[in-house]
């Protein structure tokens, strides 16, 4: 809000009215009458609400709002909104403001609606008078006005206007503007809270908004769904995949709502991804002999158990929609909004496999660099998660070290986390850190650290003695709170092994006089009474001292004095009987009723004269062995709450908390998430035009087939009269199969066209007669008949190519429109063999070729050079046409190829000066390592530049990040002076650009080296056809595509560019088979070494300019590879 200056104010806004309200005339301030002073009073436009009386409050603003000038009204509204922003009450201006709701000035109208949204609920009666104006504004041409009117209407909390609100929300849900539809989604929860009987109508609106494809509406629609009908999970089925794909583009708060909703959805619709881990452990530890005995005892129970075990042993396969959610949510870990990052973390911890939980650890730790509020939330969640997933956070334990600027709550949470992560491997660094903390000047922090030390000692028995002796040193601390806390913890630790710490009990007994903290004194008295046999001489004396000062002690100390007296009375009555009677008499008249009751109870147990029926049980009651205390984390009970929720922060169920459902035992039907694509009018017209052209071509073919089949049938009648009936039956069966196949594959054809095709096919088959053979599917023509068939097929090549292109275009359009392919694979088409060689055979339609026929295509061809080649060509050509746009295998199954170019460039690994005479060079061989295909093969040349022989050269201390692995080279026993030895390393970079850091050791020392990955060398060349290249590049669009342009120093041939690319990247050239006339394009294909993901590169040369496009799911590899190729081409 811009500041207001009197130079811009109208003349009528003088300060007279303000000053009169203060109690004087316009000139009474400092004796001045200038307009500057008046203006200074007016500049503080909230002053009148403080000093003016009720009759004159906001008079100048009312006058400005009632003016005829829009500029004055606009200025008044700006001042009013400024006061609203500062929290001042300007409700008295509601009548004056609401009058301007019909203003034609859009800027003024927007500010009026902002004010009305704030005060419509307080001034409901006045707001109702303007209902007609709000309804009229809902039809305004400005989308902001329509949205603001709906916001004001939904802010009026009066049940009378519920029908009007319902109609307005329905209209807004169909508005052309996504901003208005978003506002409609926000109004739904308001209407639901006002009248819950409108739930069914609101569900219809929510269902409509959930189908919205605009990212602006998706988040708000999901919020409304979560509030109104979170149990209507059937509304999510059809929109699940759309929400997953739109997740990255939704606004940040909408992302949080969508992630929370999808987490609940995934828990109810997908199987537990970690169920096999538990079943595997149970099976591993099962005793087969014991199982056989149980089975012999009860056969019926054993059968049930076996059936259950079979169900458990059933291998788990993650649903593709389950994987889709995890894959779409992962990029949000880089969000700048901490709430979004935490939502993704809770999604992974609740529905992801255990081996993928490590994905979210570093993003969570990144949030620790935010403000204190965010740190508190993140640390609270980590403190809860670290109890169950200790192994995930142990490598990052240094991230939880306490800093000087941390608040007390953050320090406490970090101590809690470090205590949870205490193990044999981490306890040394934790205790060393705690040793620094106990010397802090913050006494409360030191006390919390002592408690953490006690928990570590109770968890790990190996460090119990170390912790106890360390705490004993703190007993000399000058702060009583530190000493008292140390005594309390020592008391708890001594209960674990009291017999081994007799000296410590004696030492504490001697220190009891100097300790003033009541809890610490009570703890020492309890230790003396519980283990009095270790201090038989000191215990009575301690009782004597405390009995002498009994009336001045705290209540907790008095209770322990009574306990000490009672226990010594049973173990050493000769010395302590009189002291016990004295203490009981003092406690009898104490002002605290707990102490009086304890004394009365103990008197009945101990004293012979007053011994009651319980006296014989005195030793069993007082001297019974007590179990050692269990020091548990305060966050243990919070594991039942959802990660990132308010309930987990509070440790109790918050209002509106919905617990996560359990995973189902059996997977629900996944077909409910399949969506039928509805084409637009333009798409429908385009597809209808293509269909009509295909129909014409089919009719032409049928006419030709009729011509040839009629002639052939006449010849066949004279030869094979006896087989007419059988061939007719077979032809009828074949025709039925062909028509059914056509119906399955042609989803876009109308029913009428299908009937015409069936009739034409039946006519053809009846005329063919014996031409329809009852051979098995996939049978191949003999070579004698095939030779004449090739010559006849040349006439129809053009028609077949056109039809194949149409089919491929349709398949590509369907793959783009449909989110998931639910169409079943077509059956294999039968290849019919005519009885005569002169007969023209039907060319199989491209759409009838199935993926199941690929095995038949690889069958050995008949002998004969020309005939065999034409045989393979005629079969493969329609098959490849049908394969256009189809994915034959997932990205991980891309077949690798040998490198087209072997790089000889070497890099320095170890300098001979740094290596004390040992030098090392390495180069990439562009081969897969012998131990694993996911490893890059690196050739290392070791050279002895020193004056003496080197021995035992090997790899040591591998420091690899992100799951990388390294296969060491064999140890070099000796390396003479001046000698060079070549060894081989294998490095799996996990498709990242992190260097492989390790040490090379020999007898002279260890030398740290690293191998940074070269992008062009950590990819492998791959075999890929042009059709597959286009299909895969079409899938890797958007963020997975990088493009750029390089400028050549001079015009070059395409061969030179190809050579340059192959020298700088381990890719293979994709052979182009299409005749599109584009001779300036180069296609290269490869795959990532670790995950075998496709890496595609395209070069288009235009003079001295080269346009580059790189497609890769690993965005970093794609962009860096493009950058390296650009730099290499610029040097050509």
């Amino acid at each position: 809000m811009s500041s207001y200056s009197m130079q811009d104010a109208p003349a009528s806004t003088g300060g007279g009215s303000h000053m009169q309200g203060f109690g004087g005339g316009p000139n009474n301030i400092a004796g001045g009458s200038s307009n500057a002073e008046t203006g200074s009073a007016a500049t503080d436009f909230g002053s009148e609400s403080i000093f003016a009386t009720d009759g004159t409050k906001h008079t100048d603003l009312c006058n400005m709002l009632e003016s005829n000038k829009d500029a004055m009204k606009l200025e008044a509204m700006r001042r009013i909104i400024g006061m609203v922003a500062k929290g001042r009450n300007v409700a008295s201006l509601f009548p004056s403001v609401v009058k301007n709701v019909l203003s034609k000035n859009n800027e003024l109208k927007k500010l009026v609606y902002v004010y009305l949204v704030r005060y419509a609920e307080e001034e409901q009666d006045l707001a109702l008078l303007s209902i007609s104006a709000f309804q009229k504004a809902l039809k305004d041409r400005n989308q902001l006005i329509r949205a603001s009117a709906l916001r004001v209407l939904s802010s009026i909390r009066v049940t009378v206007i519920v029908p009007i609100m319902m109609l307005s929300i329905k209209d807004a849900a169909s508005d052309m503007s996504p901003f208005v539809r978003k506002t409609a989604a926000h109004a739904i929860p308001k209407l639901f809270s006002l009248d819950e009987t409108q739930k069914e109508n609101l569900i219809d609106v929510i269902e409509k908004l959930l189908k919205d494809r605009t990212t602006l509406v998706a988040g708000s629609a999901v919020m409304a769904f979560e509030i109104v009908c979170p149990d209507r999970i059937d509304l999510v089925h059809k929109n699940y995949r759309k929400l997953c794909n739109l997740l990255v583009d939704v606004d940040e708060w909408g992302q949080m709502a969508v992630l929370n909703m999808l987490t609940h959805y995934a828990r109810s619709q997908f199987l537990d991804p970690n169920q096999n881990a538990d079943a595997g452990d149970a099976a591993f530890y099962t005793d087969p002999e014991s199982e056989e005995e149980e089975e012999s005892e009860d056969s019926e129970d054993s059968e049930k158990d076996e059936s259950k075990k079979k169900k458990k042993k059933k291998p788990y396969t993650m649903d593709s929609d389950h994987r889709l959610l995890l894959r779409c949510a992962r990029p949000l870990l880089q969000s700048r909004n901490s709430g979004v990052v935490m939502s993704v973390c809770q999604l992974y911890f609740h529905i992801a496999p255990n081996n993928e939980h490590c994905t979210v650890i570093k993003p969570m730790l990144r949030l620790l660099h935010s403000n204190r509020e965010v740190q508190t939330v993140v640390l609270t969640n980590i403190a809860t998660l670290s109890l169950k997933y200790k192994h995930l956070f142990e490598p990052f334990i240094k991230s939880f070290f306490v800093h000087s600027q941390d608040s007390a709550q953050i320090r406490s949470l970090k101590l809690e986390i470090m205590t949870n992560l205490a193990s044999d491997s981490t306890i040394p660094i934790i205790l060393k850190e705690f040793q620094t903390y106990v010397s802090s000047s913050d006494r409360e922090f030191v006390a919390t650290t002592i408690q953490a030390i006690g928990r570590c000692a109770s968890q790990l028995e190996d460090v119990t003695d170390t912790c106890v002796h360390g705490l004993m040193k703190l007993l000399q601390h000058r702060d009583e709170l530190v000493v008292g806390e140390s005594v309390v913890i020592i008391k708890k630790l001594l209960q674990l092994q009291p017999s081994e710490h007799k000296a410590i009990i004696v030492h504490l007994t001697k220190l009891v006089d100097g300790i003033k903290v009541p809890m610490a004194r009570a703890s020492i008295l309890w230790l003396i009474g519980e283990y009095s046999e270790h201090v038989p001489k000191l215990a009575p004396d301690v009782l004597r001292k405390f009995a002498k000062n009994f009336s001045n002690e705290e209540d907790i100390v008095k209770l322990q004095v009574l306990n000490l007296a009672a226990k010594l009375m049973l173990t050493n009555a000769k010395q302590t009987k009189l002291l016990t009677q004295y203490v009981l008499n003092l406690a009898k008249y104490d002002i605290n009723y707990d102490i009086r009751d304890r004394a009365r109870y103990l008197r009945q147990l101990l004293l012979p004269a007053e011994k009651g029926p319980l006296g014989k049980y005195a030793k069993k009651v007082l001297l019974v062995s007590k179990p050692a205390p269990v020091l548990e984390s305060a966050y243990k009970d919070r594991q039942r709450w959802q990660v990132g929720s308010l309930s987990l922060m509070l440790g109790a169920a918050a209002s509106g908390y919905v617990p996560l459902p359990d995973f189902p035992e059996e997977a629900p039907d996944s077909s409910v998430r399949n969506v039928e694509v509805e084409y637009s009018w333009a798409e429908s017209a385009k597809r209808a035009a293509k269909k009509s052209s295909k129909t014409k071509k089919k009719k032409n073919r049928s006419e030709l087939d009729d011509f040839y089949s009629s002639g052939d049938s006449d010849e066949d009648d004279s030869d094979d009269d006896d087989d007419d009936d059988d061939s007719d039956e077979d032809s009828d069966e074949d025709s039925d199969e062909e028509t059914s196949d056509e119906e399955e594959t042609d989803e876009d054809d109308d029913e009428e066209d299908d009937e015409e095709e069936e009739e034409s096919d039946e006519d053809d088959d009846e005329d063919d007669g014996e031409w329809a053979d009852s051979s098995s599917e996939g049978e191949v023509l003999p070579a004698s008949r095939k030779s004449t068939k090739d010559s006849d097929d040349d006439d129809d090549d053009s028609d077949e190519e056109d039809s194949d292109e149409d089919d491929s275009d349709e398949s590509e359009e369907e793959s783009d429109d449909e989110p998931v392919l639910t169409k079943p694979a077509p059956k294999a088409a039968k290849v019919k063999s005519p009885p005569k060689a002169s007969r023209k055979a039907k060319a199989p339609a491209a759409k009838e070729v199935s993926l199941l026929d690929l095995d038949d295509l690889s069958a050995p061809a008949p002998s004969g050079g020309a005939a065999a080649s034409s045989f393979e060509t005629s079969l493969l050509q329609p098959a490849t046409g049908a394969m256009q746009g189809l994915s034959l295998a997932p990205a991980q199954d891309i077949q690798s190829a040998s490198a087209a170019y072997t790089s000889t460039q070497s890099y320095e690994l170890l300098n001979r000066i740094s290596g004390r005479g040992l030098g090392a060079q390495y180069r990439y061989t562009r081969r897969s390592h012998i131990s694993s295909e996911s490893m890059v093969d690196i050739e290392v040349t070791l050279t002895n530049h020193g004056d003496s022989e080197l021995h035992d050269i090997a790899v040591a201390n591998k420091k690899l990040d992100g799951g990388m692995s390294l296969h060491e080279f064999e140890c070099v026993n000796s390396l003479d002076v001046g000698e060079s030895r070549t060894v081989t390393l294998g490095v799996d970079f996990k498709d990242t650009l992190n260097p492989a850091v390790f040490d090379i050791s020999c007898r002279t020392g260890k030398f740290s080296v690293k191998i940074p990955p070269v992008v062009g060398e950590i990819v492998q060349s791959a075999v890929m056809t042009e059709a597959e290249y286009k299909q895969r590049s079409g899938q890797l669009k958007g963020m997975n595509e990088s493009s750029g342009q390089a400028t050549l120093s001079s015009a070059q041939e395409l061969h030179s560019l190809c050579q340059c690319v192959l020298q700088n990247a381990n890719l293979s050239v994709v052979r182009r088979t299409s005749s599109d006339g584009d001779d300036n394009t180069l296609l290269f294909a490869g795959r990532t070494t670790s995950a075998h993901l496709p890496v595609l590169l395209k070069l288009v040369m235009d003079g001295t300019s080269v346009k580059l496009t790189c497609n890769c799911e690993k965005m970093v590899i794609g962009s860096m590879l493009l950058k390296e190729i650009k730099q290499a081409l610029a040097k050509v």
Side-chain angles (χ1 to χ4, degrees):
M1 191 65 64
S2 59
S3 61
Y4 175 72
S5 63
M6 283 304 298
Q7 295 177 357
D8 299 330
S12 62
T13 59
S17 61
H18 298 281
M19 296 299 102
Q20 290 173 3
F22 185 77
N27 302 327
N28 67 339
I29 299 297
S33 60
S34 63
N35 290 333
E37 293 177 356
T38 309
S40 64
T43 302
D44 186 6
F45 42 77
S47 60
E48 65 272 24
S49 64
I50 300 175
F51 301 109
T53 61
D54 292 339
T56 60
K57 185 184 292 185
H58 308 311
T59 305
D60 60 334
L61 294 176
C62 291
N63 294 335
M64 294 174 67
L65 290 172
E66 294 174 359
S67 173
N68 294 328
K69 298 181 180 180
D70 288 344
M72 294 180 65
K73 293 180 180 180
L74 192 60
E75 185 60 35
M77 285 306 304
R78 287 173 179 169
R79 293 170 62 181
I80 292 172
I81 298 302
M83 286 188 281
V84 172
K86 291 184 177 181
R88 297 176 183 174
N89 187 10
V90 288
S92 59
L93 292 172
F94 194 91
S96 301
V97 173
V98 79
K99 292 178 184 178
N100 295 280
V101 74
L102 296 175
S103 174
K104 295 182 179 180
N105 189 324
N106 287 335
E107 294 297 325
L108 176 61
K109 192 180 291 187
K110 292 176 188 176
L111 295 178
V112 170
Y113 279 124
V114 171
Y115 175 88
L116 293 178
V117 169
R118 170 64 179 82
Y119 289 104
E121 188 173 355
E122 297 180 10
E123 302 289 342
Q124 296 178 359
D125 296 336
L126 293 175
L128 285 174
L129 298 177
S130 304
I131 282 287
S132 59
F134 302 147
Q135 289 181 285
K136 183 179 179 181
L138 290 172
K139 305 298 182 182
D140 195 278
R141 288 187 295 179
N142 191 323
Q143 60 175 350
L144 298 179
I145 300 300
R146 298 198 302 271
S148 300
L150 183 59
R151 289 179 60 195
V152 175
L153 197 61
S154 61
S155 300
I156 303 175
R157 315 294 293 166
V158 180
T159 55
V160 179
I161 65 169
V162 166
I164 299 176
M165 291 176 60
M166 190 69 240
L167 291 175
S168 303
I169 291 174
K170 286 184 176 180
D171 292 341
S174 304
D175 196 277
M176 294 292 293
S177 171
F179 182 74
V180 179
R181 300 198 297 270
K182 178 184 180 72
T183 307
H186 289 168
I188 289 175
K190 298 180 182 179
L191 179 56
F192 179 71
S193 63
L194 185 63
D195 185 5
E196 294 187 359
T197 60
Q198 299 289 330
K199 181 176 180 179
E200 294 301 324
N201 295 329
L202 292 175
I203 289 177
D204 295 338
V205 180
I206 291 173
E207 183 177 7
K208 185 176 184 179
L209 292 174
L210 285 175
K211 295 179 181 179
D212 200 305
R213 293 184 176 275
T214 309
T215 57
L216 192 64
V217 183
S220 302
V222 170
M223 288 181 184
F225 169 82
E226 287 283 271
I227 295 174
V228 177
C229 53
D231 55 332
R232 287 291 304 274
I233 202 168
D234 56 297
L235 301 179
V236 186
H237 290 321
K238 299 294 184 182
N239 303 291
Y240 172 81
R241 292 166 182 161
K242 181 198 69 176
L243 290 174
C244 290
N245 292 321
L246 294 181
L247 193 56
V248 179
D249 300 320
V250 178
D251 60 280
E252 294 175 342
W253 298 111
Q255 288 172 346
M256 296 170 60
V258 174
L259 286 170
N260 183 63
M261 186 269 289
L262 292 180
T263 302
H264 285 76
Y265 180 86
R267 290 281 294 217
S268 62
Q269 297 298 311
F270 303 131
L271 295 178
D272 185 1
N274 302 310
Q275 60 183 353
N276 281 1
D278 300 336
D281 294 340
F284 180 79
Y285 290 105
T286 302
D287 186 4
E289 296 181 0
S290 61
E291 288 183 356
E292 292 177 0
E293 294 177 358
E294 293 177 357
E295 290 176 358
S296 62
E297 292 176 0
D298 193 348
S299 60
E300 295 180 357
D301 295 342
S302 64
E303 291 177 0
K304 295 180 180 179
D305 294 339
E306 287 178 1
S307 62
K308 292 181 179 178
K309 290 177 181 177
K310 289 180 180 179
K311 291 182 179 179
K312 291 182 179 179
K313 292 180 180 178
K314 184 178 180 180
Y316 168 76
T317 303
M318 179 175 286
D319 193 286
S320 59
D321 291 329
H322 192 171
R323 174 58 60 190
L324 174 67
L325 175 57
L326 295 176
R327 184 172 64 250
C328 293
R330 185 170 183 174
L332 299 184
L333 291 172
Q334 302 176 5
S335 174
R336 62 182 180 180
N337 190 305
S338 56
V340 175
V341 177
M342 283 303 302
S343 297
V344 180
C345 294
Q346 63 92 13
L347 175 78
Y348 266 77
F349 277 113
H350 288 307
I351 71 169
N354 288 334
N355 58 354
E356 296 184 18
H357 290 168
C358 58
T359 307
V360 301
I361 301 303
K362 287 187 177 180
M364 287 184 72
L365 299 179
R366 175 172 57 86
L367 299 180
L368 297 181
H369 300 286
S370 304
N371 52 52
R372 291 184 177 181
E373 292 77 10
V374 175
Q375 290 185 47
T376 303
V377 174
V378 175
L379 289 173
T380 303
N381 284 273
I382 293 178
T384 306
L385 294 171
S386 59
L387 293 170
K388 184 177 180 180
Y389 304 103
K390 180 185 296 187
H391 63 284
L392 297 178
F393 297 96
E394 279 184 355
F396 310 100
I397 191 169
K398 292 185 179 180
S399 301
F400 307 110
F401 286 175
V402 176
H403 302 287
S404 58
Q405 69 272 17
D406 290 340
S407 62
Q409 188 176 11
I410 292 177
R411 290 182 176 186
S412 176
L413 289 169
K414 287 186 174 181
L415 286 174
E416 179 72 25
I417 294 171
M418 283 193 286
T419 307
N420 294 341
L421 299 180
S423 62
D424 294 335
S425 59
T426 59
I427 194 62
I429 189 172
I430 292 177
L431 290 181
K432 186 177 180 180
E433 193 72 12
F434 285 170
Q435 186 177 359
T436 306
Y437 298 162
V438 295
S439 61
S440 173
S441 58
D442 187 351
R443 52 188 299 194
E444 304 246 347
F445 176 53
V446 174
T448 309
T449 305
I450 293 173
Q451 296 175 3
I453 293 175
R455 279 189 54 200
C456 292
S458 64
Q459 293 176 6
L460 303 172
E461 296 181 358
D462 296 340
V463 298
T464 302
D465 294 340
T466 305
C467 294
V468 170
H469 288 88
L471 294 174
M472 289 295 295
K473 297 180 181 178
L474 293 177
L475 297 178
Q476 301 176 359
H477 200 278
R478 61 180 179 272
D479 195 326
E480 294 181 358
L481 179 63
V482 176
V483 175
E485 197 64 43
S486 301
V487 171
V488 174
I489 298 301
I490 289 174
K491 170 239 177 182
K492 295 180 180 179
L493 294 178
L494 290 181
Q495 288 183 256
L496 300 175
Q497 298 173 342
S499 59
E500 300 179 5
H501 300 91
K502 177 180 178 181
I504 296 177
I505 298 175
V506 174
H507 185 67
L508 290 175
T509 304
K510 294 179 180 179
L511 292 177
V512 68
D513 293 336
I515 297 175
K516 303 301 181 184
V517 179
M519 189 64 190
R521 291 169 67 86
S523 299
I524 293 177
L525 290 176
W526 186 91
L527 277 175
I528 296 173
E530 188 68 19
Y531 308 110
S532 58
E533 65 274 10
H534 297 301
V535 284
K537 297 181 179 179
L538 296 177
D541 191 55
V542 171
L543 178 61
R544 178 185 61 81
K545 292 181 180 180
F546 277 89
K548 184 177 180 180
N549 198 32
F550 182 83
S551 59
N552 298 327
E553 296 289 348
E554 296 290 336
D555 292 342
I556 189 173
V557 179
K558 290 180 181 179
L559 290 174
Q560 291 303 324
V561 171
L562 289 173
N563 289 339
L564 175 62
K567 292 175 181 179
L568 292 180
M569 177 71 179
L570 295 175
T571 56
N572 192 2
K574 183 177 180 180
Q575 294 182 346
T576 59
K577 182 177 181 180
L578 295 177
L579 281 174
T580 302
Q581 292 178 352
Y582 176 70
V583 170
L584 291 176
N585 290 331
L586 290 175
K588 184 178 180 180
Y589 302 100
D590 196 270
I591 59 176
N592 190 307
Y593 60 86
D594 286 334
I595 298 175
R596 296 197 302 268
D597 291 345
R598 180 71 62 86
R600 188 180 300 111
Y601 166 70
L602 292 176
R603 187 184 295 275
Q604 295 296 323
L605 282 176
L606 300 175
L607 297 181
E610 304 176 8
K611 215 166 190 181
L614 297 177
K616 58 182 179 180
Y617 300 108
K619 289 187 177 181
K620 293 183 179 180
V621 172
L622 296 176
L623 299 181
V624 66
S625 59
K626 282 80 174 176
V630 179
L631 303 178
E632 294 182 345
S633 172
Y635 294 84
K636 185 176 181 180
D637 295 335
R638 302 192 184 190
Q639 296 182 9
R640 54 197 176 109
W641 308 113
Q642 184 177 348
V643 176
S645 63
L646 178 61
S647 299
L648 187 142
M649 285 291 300
L650 300 176
S655 177
Y657 175 77
V658 179
L660 286 173
D662 295 329
F663 285 104
E665 295 182 0
E666 295 183 0
D669 185 14
S670 62
S671 63
V672 295
R673 291 183 289 275
N674 295 338
V675 182
E676 295 181 2
V677 179
E678 297 180 0
Y679 297 106
S680 62
W681 179 86
E683 292 174 343
S684 301
K686 182 179 179 181
R687 300 171 73 86
K690 287 189 176 182
K691 182 189 66 175
S692 62
S693 63
K694 287 175 58 181
T695 305
K696 292 180 180 178
K697 293 177 181 178
K698 289 180 180 179
K699 289 182 178 179
N700 294 334
R701 291 183 186 177
S702 63
E703 292 176 358
L704 292 174
D705 294 337
D706 292 340
F707 174 77
Y708 288 109
S709 61
S710 61
D712 295 336
S713 61
D714 295 337
E715 296 177 4
D716 294 337
D717 289 340
S718 60
D719 297 334
D720 302 322
D721 292 335
D722 297 335
D723 299 335
D724 286 345
D725 298 334
D726 297 337
S727 62
D728 290 338
E729 293 177 357
D730 295 337
S731 63
D732 292 337
E733 294 177 358
D734 294 341
S735 64
D736 293 338
E737 292 180 0
E738 290 176 357
T739 54
S740 63
D741 292 341
E742 290 174 358
E743 289 176 356
E744 290 179 359
T745 54
D746 294 339
E747 293 181 345
D748 299 326
D749 293 344
D750 297 330
E751 295 180 358
E752 297 178 358
D753 296 332
D754 292 337
E755 293 176 358
E756 292 176 0
E757 292 175 6
E758 291 174 6
E759 292 174 1
S760 63
D761 292 340
E762 289 176 358
D763 294 337
D764 296 341
D765 293 334
E766 290 175 0
D767 295 335
D768 290 345
E770 299 84 13
W771 189 76
D773 193 287
S774 59
S775 59
S776 60
E777 295 183 0
E779 187 175 352
V780 182
L781 293 174
S784 60
R785 301 184 183 183
K786 190 70 188 68
S787 58
T788 58
K789 175 176 168 40
D790 292 336
S791 61
D792 294 335
D793 287 343
D794 294 338
D795 298 332
D796 293 337
D797 284 344
S798 59
D799 293 339
E800 292 176 3
E801 290 176 359
D802 295 338
S803 63
D804 291 341
E805 290 177 0
D806 294 339
D807 294 340
S808 62
D809 293 339
E810 283 190 8
S811 63
E812 290 177 0
E813 289 177 5
E814 289 175 1
S815 63
D816 293 337
D817 294 337
E818 296 182 4
V820 176
L821 289 174
T822 60
K823 181 173 63 177
K827 296 181 180 179
K830 293 186 178 181
V831 183
K832 301 179 181 180
S833 55
K836 299 279 185 172
S838 61
R839 181 171 302 152
K840 176 177 172 31
K842 285 186 178 180
K847 61 183 180 181
E848 295 179 357
V849 178
S850 170
L851 294 180
L852 301 176
D853 292 337
L854 292 180
D855 296 334
D856 297 333
L857 298 181
S858 60
S863 60
S869 61
S870 62
F871 167 80
E872 294 175 355
T873 304
S874 62
L875 278 180
L876 289 177
Q877 187 171 358
T880 54
M883 296 305 105
Q884 189 79 12
L886 292 178
S887 177
L888 299 178
Q892 289 79 359
D893 296 332
I894 300 176
Q895 184 180 0
S896 63
S898 58
Y901 177 85
T902 302
S903 176
T904 58
Q905 183 178 2
S906 61
Y907 308 89
E908 185 179 55
L909 180 62
L910 179 62
N911 186 273
R912 62 180 181 178
I913 299 176
S914 304
R916 301 175 188 175
L918 175 62
Q921 300 280 335
Y922 72 94
R923 75 175 185 92
Y924 292 92
T925 62
R926 295 193 176 182
R927 298 191 303 266
S928 296
H929 194 262
I930 190 173
S931 62
S932 174
E933 286 189 357
S934 61
M935 286 189 173
V936 179
D937 189 78
I938 301 176
E939 187 179 271
V940 181
T941 302
L942 304 172
T943 306
N944 186 358
H945 299 280
D947 299 331
S948 59
E949 186 178 4
L950 298 175
H951 297 277
D952 300 335
I953 305 173
V955 174
N957 298 337
K958 293 178 284 188
K959 306 168 186 177
L960 306 176
D961 298 331
M964 295 169 52
S965 58
L966 186 145
H967 189 275
E968 306 172 3
F969 58 78
E970 295 184 1
C971 179
V972 179
N973 296 327
S974 62
L975 193 64
D976 294 336
V977 177
E979 182 185 358
S980 296
R981 187 79 57 84
T982 300
V983 293
T984 303
L985 271 176
V987 181
D988 185 359
F989 290 99
K990 289 296 180 184
D991 298 338
T992 65
L993 299 183
N994 298 328
V997 183
F998 57 94
D999 292 345
I1000 294 181
S1001 65
C1002 60
R1003 292 185 182 180
T1004 58
K1006 293 183 179 180
F1007 315 104
S1008 180
V1009 296
K1010 66 177 180 180
I1011 299 179
V1014 180
V1015 181
E1017 303 294 343
I1018 62 173
V1019 297
Q1020 298 175 343
S1021 58
V1023 177
M1024 191 175 297
T1025 62
E1026 184 182 8
E1028 189 176 2
Y1029 179 95
K1030 291 181 179 180
Q1031 186 264 336
R1032 293 184 183 276
S1033 61
Q1035 295 175 350
L1036 298 173
K1037 295 291 185 181
M1039 298 178 64
N1040 297 323
E1041 183 176 85
S1042 303
S1043 59
Q1045 192 166 358
T1047 303
L1048 305 176
S1049 58
S1050 60
Q1052 300 288 336
E1053 294 182 358
L1054 208 60
H1055 176 72
S1056 301
L1057 300 184
C1058 180
Q1059 198 69 16
C1060 178
V1061 172
L1062 295 179
Q1063 289 178 3
N1064 290 273
N1066 186 14
L1067 302 174
S1068 61
V1069 181
V1070 177
R1071 296 189 179 276
R1072 307 192 62 198
T1073 57
S1074 60
S1075 57
D1076 53 4
D1078 189 2
D1079 298 332
N1080 296 327
T1081 301
L1082 287 173
L1083 303 180
F1084 300 90
R1087 70 177 189 180
T1088 59
T1089 307
S1090 183
H1092 296 176
L1093 299 174
V1095 180
L1096 310 177
L1097 181 65
K1098 179 179 180 181
L1099 272 67
V1100 180
M1101 187 175 67
D1102 184 10
T1104 59
S1105 177
V1106 180
K1107 183 179 179 181
L1108 300 93
T1109 305
C1110 184
N1111 302 87
C1112 182
E1113 187 172 335
K1114 296 288 185 179
M1115 293 177 286
V1116 177
I1117 291 181
S1119 59
M1120 293 302 296
L1121 179 62
L1122 187 74
K1123 183 179 179 181
E1124 288 191 2
I1125 299 298
K1126 283 176 58 178
Q1127 294 176 354
L1129 292 176
K1131 300 177 182 178
V1132 175

